[in-house]
Amino acid sequence: MATEQELSDFLKSVERRAFKRSVYHVRDEEAALDIVQDSMMKLAEHYGDKPANELPMLFQRILSNCTLDWFRRQKTRRALFSNLSDFESLDDDGDFDLLEHVQAPTDTRETESAEDTTRRAQIFHEIEEQIAALPGRQREAFLMRYWEDMDVAETAAAMGCSEGSVKTHCSRAVHALSKALKAKGISL
């Protein structure tokens, strides 16, 4: 079990590298500081009682997860606020009611049938199940590359592996998903 001093010494030794890594990923020094601080807090809170030799691996995983969480939050914020900022008040009072300005489609061909909606939901569910069934590293690489839209270098850095490993994991994941979905009669 790591002593309090060993934990403190470990955190001091990785602080600068973790900050540089985070700045490289997020390209925002304040966000990088937050990510590193959150990672250190999580390590101390949840894994402070682990042996000292396990701390580096645990910290790298926590730092990667905190970085991914930051990207997810940014993606959500950008989507939400960029869409909502498109709307401006037509009055001088500054109040905007989205429901007053939403127009229903006038052509029934623009609307989707309940059957199509249900079928699409079923396909998404099947895809999610197949992604969840992938081996951990393949799933991680696949989601970072295609869900988080990270490039190969960013994914490799976040996963702590080489770019070639990322490409291999992604390729295997795509082939496994394709095979599993085709077996269920789903073609995309």
Side-chain angles (χ1 to χ4, degrees):
M1 301 301 155
T3 65
E4 194 172 311
Q5 186 61 43
E6 288 175 322
L7 179 61
S8 179
D9 290 343
F10 169 74
L11 292 175
K12 285 178 187 175
S13 72
V14 297
E15 180 180 20
R16 184 178 301 268
R17 285 191 320 256
F19 174 71
K20 286 182 178 182
R21 174 181 167 184
S22 295
V23 168
Y24 171 75
H25 285 302
V26 301
R27 292 178 173 69
D28 179 351
E29 288 187 6
E30 290 180 20
L33 284 172
D34 289 342
I35 290 168
V36 172
Q37 182 179 12
D38 287 347
S39 300
M40 289 180 166
M41 292 297 294
K42 287 179 181 178
L43 180 73
E45 287 175 14
H46 301 290
Y47 302 102
D49 60 344
K50 296 290 184 184
N53 63 343
E54 291 182 15
L55 295 178
M57 178 193 67
L58 289 168
F59 181 72
Q60 291 305 316
R61 174 58 57 197
I62 293 169
L63 184 62
S64 294
N65 289 341
C66 285
T67 303
L68 288 176
D69 290 344
W70 183 86
F71 278 112
R72 286 184 190 106
R73 285 191 303 273
Q74 293 305 309
K75 187 174 185 177
T76 302
R77 284 185 188 128
R78 277 194 307 271
L80 176 64
F81 292 117
S82 67
N83 290 340
L84 291 179
S85 66
D86 293 342
F87 301 107
E88 295 179 4
S89 174
L90 300 176
D91 304 339
D92 290 333
D93 64 3
D95 290 336
F96 177 79
D97 185 1
L98 180 62
L99 295 177
E100 290 178 7
H101 299 282
V102 173
Q103 296 180 2
T106 55
D107 187 357
T108 57
R109 290 178 293 169
E110 292 178 13
T111 60
E112 188 175 51
S113 71
E115 181 181 346
D116 291 340
T117 302
T118 303
R119 179 68 183 143
R120 187 164 22 97
Q122 290 171 342
I123 290 172
F124 285 143
H125 181 71
E126 289 291 334
I127 292 171
E128 288 174 351
E129 282 183 354
Q130 294 306 316
I131 290 173
L134 288 172
R137 296 293 278 177
Q138 287 181 21
R139 182 176 56 249
E140 183 180 17
F142 179 83
L143 291 174
M144 282 187 212
R145 288 280 294 124
Y146 302 113
W147 182 264
E148 295 296 327
D149 202 27
M150 296 170 71
D151 65 25
V152 174
E154 290 172 329
T155 304
M159 291 178 63
C161 64
S162 70
E163 291 182 19
S165 292
V166 169
K167 291 176 184 177
T168 300
H169 290 311
C170 285
S171 175
R172 289 178 180 165
V174 167
H175 289 294
L177 287 172
S178 176
K179 183 178 177 182
L181 293 173
K182 280 182 185 174
K184 294 186 179 255
I186 299 172
S187 61
L188 303 174

